[in-house]
Amino acid sequence: MSESTGVPAARPYSGAVGGRPQPASLADVLERVLDKGIIIAGDIRVNLLDIELLTIKIRLLVVSVDKAQEMGIDWWRNDPMLTSQENDLAEENRALRERVRALESGGGPATEDEGRGRAHDEAGADDERRPSRADGGGR
Amino acid sequence: MSTSARYVYAISRGLRPGPLEVRGIHGAEVEVVRHLDLDAVVSDVDLAEFGEEPLRENLEQLSWLEDVVRDHDRVVQAVAQVGPTAPLRLATVFLDDDGMRARLFEWRFALEQVLDRVTGRHEWSVKVVLPPAPAPAGVGPGAATHAGDAQAAAGGADYLRRKKESLAGRVAAEERGAELGRAVHQALAGRAAASRLLPPQDPRLSGHTGTMVHNGAYLVADDEHEAFVERLRELTAQHPDVVVDVGGPWPPYSFAMLEQR
């Protein structure tokens, strides 16, 4: 690049103006890359529509998660397309909510049946980092 | 049938032929293959993964897709640091270099045009997010669990009145947001060689709270980019209540399109 004086050699950044740089979110990378770029057909014919359908599917699925939960629908949990991380988080949130309820009620008998196994698990070594994760993930 | 194929990330010009320092898909070595005046940036991929059938299945796996998208992006960004860059669509795969060369020959003029257009320019992304208006007590999505209490305490009519007010406020905020988005776009497009409006991002994917009222991509000349960012700062100062998110300089993903199809 002959005119590169204006562009810092440092890696590209993203963030609020004057704010701190942040790693690119999945949304940013997908948006930047997925439906973009020059199309010259390779030897491997991938149906580009598949990719576009996929992004739409992601958007539809993801946008409707809250709504679906409200209505008690959770079929998307079993969709292999959604990462296991997301399932884990939802599972973890539920476990934490149960635990909070149990703590608030002074460890009442309501959660005893279901809660025993989990409470035991969560009293383990990684107990300390869980509350902070609940702040980020639990709503 | 060979088990490996050639994945092409981007086309550039004036690169040094041979291996690049950046790593490609699944850590593969990335190299520059010159044909005519064009430099193709390529690496080996496994046909067991990128063949027609497996590729179709893999594209449906979000975690696989994310890895490949990030690897692809990393290589394209590295190329954009050293030369004009025309990113190719994700998963452009040839069985061998001969197949790739034939295709480059076929598209050489259009590719040259794209490279001319993006030389000395990079892409910037600007998003404007309107934070959620503070909801009056008893209404709004965050208060759903208290709705029953509020209703019991304040009475149904009062609750409905506040809910209506909240709705009116939301509509006004949306109108204001749309207006702000247009103003930002107009101001920035004037500083850019080209611009594109993109659909607002899904908050569940991007993690933002509030309403994304503007999502634009701008192709900005490298010697203009400080003026561009300065303009953005002015706009941000004028609207302290919104969050302006800027990204760049990036490879011109949104502006790499062939003129003829």
Side-chain angles (χ1 to χ4, degrees):
Chain A
M1 259 178 307
S2 53
E3 298 175 274
S4 63
T5 46
V7 174
R11 53 192 288 275
Y13 65 89
S14 171
V17 179
R20 68 275 165 252
Q22 18 177 268
S25 74
L26 177 57
D28 283 337
V29 182
L30 287 180
E31 175 186 80
R32 198 158 72 217
V33 177
L34 209 48
D35 297 335
K36 311 280 174 56
I38 289 173
I39 302 168
I40 56 173
D43 292 333
I44 304 302
R45 301 287 172 149
V46 54
N47 185 353
L48 292 162
L49 258 185
D50 282 352
I51 302 185
E52 276 142 33
L53 278 179
L54 175 75
T55 49
I56 291 164
K57 198 173 166 194
I58 291 170
R59 281 172 194 148
L60 285 181
L61 272 176
V62 171
V63 80
S64 60
V65 163
D66 282 342
K67 272 264 163 2
Q69 264 176 326
E70 269 173 36
M71 298 186 296
I73 299 167
D74 64 350
W75 53 267
W76 47 271
R77 277 181 201 284
N78 302 319
D79 194 308
M81 205 189 68
L82 289 169
T83 59
S84 57
Q85 285 168 314
E86 217 158 322
N87 284 334
D88 291 349
L89 260 186
E91 191 56 47
E92 194 181 347
N93 282 341
R94 197 163 47 226
L96 282 167
R97 246 177 264 132
E98 271 167 21
R99 195 158 162 243
V100 167
R101 224 175 289 138
L103 286 172
E104 279 175 351
S105 63
T111 55
E112 229 172 53
D113 285 343
E114 205 188 347
R116 195 184 303 246
R118 277 203 187 104
H120 183 73
D121 287 348
E122 284 173 17
D126 55 354
D127 203 29
E128 276 127 79
R129 73 187 167 80
R130 285 185 182 254
S132 65
R133 288 187 65 182
D135 286 342
R139 272 200 295 156
Chain B
M1 190 164 119
S2 109
T3 56
S4 86
R6 300 291 263 171
Y7 183 109
V8 191
Y9 300 85
I11 306 296
S12 184
R13 220 161 30 192
L15 301 184
R16 208 176 27 218
L20 284 178
E21 248 180 58
V22 67
R23 287 282 153 173
I25 291 184
H26 304 329
E29 178 170 287
V30 177
E31 54 187 310
V32 174
V33 176
R34 176 161 295 174
H35 186 56
L36 310 164
D37 278 338
L38 301 170
D39 288 330
V41 178
V42 300
S43 73
D44 285 340
V45 286
D46 199 334
L47 271 181
E49 200 180 347
F50 282 87
E52 217 154 298
E53 265 314 305
L55 184 56
R56 188 167 304 139
E57 280 166 29
N58 285 331
L59 285 169
E60 296 290 336
Q61 304 292 331
L62 186 55
S63 57
W64 185 91
L65 182 71
E66 178 176 3
D67 287 346
V68 169
V69 163
R70 287 190 189 276
D71 289 344
H72 179 97
D73 185 45
R74 185 177 57 246
V75 173
V76 172
Q77 294 216 28
V79 177
Q81 299 272 335
V82 292
T85 304
L88 293 194
R89 178 67 61 114
L90 191 81
T92 302
V93 179
F94 295 92
L95 291 177
D96 52 31
D97 281 3
D98 285 346
M100 179 187 73
R101 287 197 171 94
R103 204 52 48 83
L104 290 189
F105 179 79
E106 187 185 331
W107 289 103
R108 63 195 181 283
F109 298 120
L111 288 168
E112 293 279 1
Q113 266 180 1
V114 172
L115 288 171
D116 287 346
R117 191 169 353 128
V118 301
T119 296
R121 295 165 172 171
H122 282 82
E123 178 167 334
W124 291 76
S125 144
V126 177
K127 300 174 174 63
V128 180
V129 175
L130 202 59
V139 291
T145 52
H146 303 300
D149 304 346
Q151 218 158 347
D158 195 31
Y159 171 75
L160 285 176
R161 180 183 56 76
R162 276 185 282 126
K163 191 158 184 164
K164 199 171 160 191
E165 278 171 10
S166 150
L167 184 68
R170 209 156 59 223
V171 169
E174 269 168 28
E175 275 169 13
R176 198 185 141 256
E179 201 175 309
L180 180 62
R182 277 194 297 273
V184 167
H185 186 63
Q186 206 174 359
L188 294 179
R191 301 267 165 185
S195 61
R196 275 183 74 184
L197 279 175
L198 306 174
Q201 286 182 330
D202 189 287
R204 287 294 302 249
L205 276 179
S206 65
H208 73 264
T209 50
T211 312
M212 191 174 283
V213 295
H214 174 68
N215 186 11
Y218 302 88
L219 185 65
V220 181
D222 294 345
D223 52 10
E224 281 279 329
H225 106 254
E226 275 174 34
F228 181 83
V229 173
E230 188 47 43
R231 188 77 191 91
L232 202 51
R233 278 212 186 87
E234 288 165 24
L235 288 167
T236 310
Q238 284 163 24
H239 304 282
D241 56 328
V242 300
V243 178
V244 178
D245 192 75
V246 58
W250 283 333
Y253 278 110
S254 304
F255 302 96
M257 288 158 292
L258 299 177
E259 296 291 340
Q260 74 240 37
R261 289 285 297 273

